[in-house]
Amino acid sequence: MDEEFRSLTDRLGDEAGGSEDFQRLLATEDAEELALVLVEHERPLWAREIAAFRLGCGGDRRAFETLVLLLNHRDPERCVSAAHALRLLGDPRTPRAAAALATNSLRTGYALHPVRLLVALRAPESVPALVSTLHRLLTPGEPHWRVALACVEGLGSLEDSRARPVLEAALPHPRLGAAAEEALRQLPEG
C-alpha cells in the first residue's frame, strides 16, 4: 500500500463510519465494480473517491471526470488524492482540465492543487495557465497569496522564459518577492 493510498484510507475510514462497503471497495480488484460506483445514484462521496482513486491509479480513464471534480473540491485532502491519481492516470485531457481549474477566477481559493498538478505535468498548457493565474493574483488586496506563491515557484521549476515578465512583476510583493527572485534565477538567459 503506497503512502497516498494509506492516507486516503485513513482519512475516509471515519467518514465511512465502519461501513462494510468501505472495506469491500478497498479490497476489490474488480475494475467494473469500482466503475459502477462512479455512476450509481446516491453513493456517498467517500465511496466515489475511493473508486476514482483506485481506478485512476490503475490507469482506467473512467475515473477522469470524478477525479477532476475532486481536484476542485473545497477539502484540500481530497484535492491532493485526486491530483496524485490524475498524475498516474496519464489521461491527455488532464492538463487542459487542470489549466481550466487553475485559471477560473471564481474558484481561485481552490486552485492550489490544480496549479501544483500543472507544474508536475510539465504540459504545454502549464506555463500559460500559471502566467495567467499569477498575473491576475498580483492585483492589490488579492487574498490568495498561497496560490500566487505556488505559481511563482512552479514557473521557476518549469524554467520557461515566457514567465519572466510576470515573475518580475511579482518581485515587489512582500510574500512573493524572494520566491520570484529565486524563480527568475532558474530561467534560461535571453
Side-chain angles (χ1 to χ4, degrees), residues 14-61:
D14 290 337
E15 196 175 322
S19 163
E20 188 177 302
D21 199 27
F22 176 74
Q23 294 302 326
R24 193 178 78 257
L25 289 174
L26 293 178
T28 187
E29 296 301 322
D30 184 353
E32 296 308 315
E33 180 182 355
L34 292 170
L36 191 58
V37 171
L38 299 179
V39 296
E40 286 179 339
H41 292 294
E42 299 183 16
R43 279 294 195 147
L45 184 58
W46 61 261
R48 293 181 196 280
E49 185 176 356
I50 290 169
F53 182 88
R54 294 202 56 217
L55 288 168
C57 290
D60 191 319
R61 290 188 179 171

Side-chain angles (χ1 to χ4, degrees), residues 97-158:
L101 294 175
T103 59
N104 183 339
S105 62
L106 300 176
R107 301 290 291 172
T108 303
Y110 307 108
L112 182 61
H113 297 287
V115 163
R116 289 179 177 163
L117 180 57
L118 280 168
V119 175
L121 294 173
R122 303 183 80 81
E125 294 87 347
S126 297
V127 171
L130 296 182
V131 165
S132 172
T133 300
L134 179 57
H135 179 72
R136 182 172 38 82
L137 295 176
L138 293 178
T139 59
E142 173 57 54
H144 302 293
W145 65 270
R146 284 181 179 86
V147 176
L149 183 59
C151 289
V152 168
E153 292 170 346
L155 287 167
S157 72
L158 291 171

Side-chain angles (χ1 to χ4, degrees), residues 55-74:
L55 288 168
C57 290
D60 191 319
R61 290 188 179 171
R62 292 176 289 184
F64 177 76
E65 287 83 5
T66 303
L67 290 171
V68 169
L69 290 172
L70 291 167
L71 181 64
N72 194 35
H73 198 274
R74 68 182 174 273

